[in-house]
Amino acid sequence: MTTRTPDVAGHCDELLLALGRFRSSAHVTQRWGGRLAAVLGGGGRLLAAGNGGSAAQAQHLTAELVGRYREDRPPYSAIALHADTSSTTAIANDYGVDEVFARQVRAHGRPGDVLVLLSTSGASANLLSAADAGRAAGLRVWALTGPAPNPLSAGSDEALCVDGASTATVQELHLVAVHMVCAAFDAALERTGR
């Protein structure tokens, strides 16, 4: 009996197809980077969250802003909400998993700050609660999700929905979006002399 090995190169084909469609979203990442430069350059902060692989992408975004993307520049305030394991586990234990990010948004978010939520499904209950908490606290809520329509894109101020055939492809394009936002952020800072 022979088993057929999956065509691993097919993943590249899937990614290439999705990337071609995604390219038309460059204007959204450009706008987000510019807006983020204005908020963080004015003393505001970015809060970011996701689950699983999306948590890794959210943390990648905050690391690029606190550290640097390409060129050296001052650090900016960006917090990955899932990275505080003591708060996350205490909130999950005391208030339930749906409150893990929402409670932190209420603690750290200020009117005018930006909340970025990443989800391949766009249906994670804890991110939906965070979006609600963010909007109620006066934060600008942006979502990076998989294919639309989905509840998180509907519950956010703006959404960038990736049309990918698999979770892996959506996550890979979320990383592309993160880097595009960071490039636009740095360019906007340079234009304003910050």
Side-chain angles (χ1 to χ4, degrees):
M1 182 168 155
T2 61
T3 57
R4 187 169 185 272
T5 303
D7 180 11
V8 294
H11 179 78
C12 292
D13 297 334
E14 179 184 309
L15 181 59
L16 187 60
L17 178 64
L19 181 61
R21 291 189 301 259
F22 177 77
R23 195 172 193 286
S24 66
S25 302
H27 67 284
V28 175
T29 60
Q30 181 78 36
R31 185 173 64 249
W32 286 7
R35 178 71 186 138
L36 203 52
V39 170
L40 300 187
R45 71 175 49 138
L46 168 77
L47 305 178
N51 296 296
S54 296
Q57 303 295 22
Q59 195 163 345
H60 190 112
L61 173 60
T62 60
E64 300 284 25
L65 297 170
V66 174
R68 68 171 185 194
Y69 176 53
R70 289 187 176 144
E71 303 295 325
D72 195 31
R73 56 156 166 70
Y76 290 91
S77 182
I79 302 169
L81 299 178
H82 59 277
D84 182 351
T85 55
S86 295
S87 289
T88 301
T89 56
I91 295 166
N93 185 62
D94 296 343
Y95 300 97
V97 175
D98 289 358
E99 280 294 304
V100 164
F101 302 130
R103 192 160 178 88
Q104 292 183 76
V105 167
R106 289 190 290 273
H108 300 300
R110 302 293 179 263
D113 286 349
V114 175
L115 173 63
V116 176
L117 302 171
L118 294 90
S119 173
T120 57
S121 69
S124 300
N126 57 8
L127 296 176
L128 295 171
S129 294
D132 291 343
R135 284 193 325 279
L139 280 71
R140 188 96 182 134
V141 180
W142 297 340
L144 269 172
T145 74
N150 62 69
L152 186 57
S153 66
S156 300
D157 295 308
E158 292 186 67
L160 180 50
C161 303
V162 174
D163 186 13
S166 70
T167 297
T169 296
V170 170
Q171 286 176 338
E172 288 159 348
L173 290 177
H174 282 178
L175 180 57
V176 171
V178 162
H179 284 161
M180 291 170 73
V181 167
C182 289
F185 174 81
D186 285 353
L189 288 175
E190 189 174 323
R191 278 192 308 276
T192 60
R194 289 190 172 138

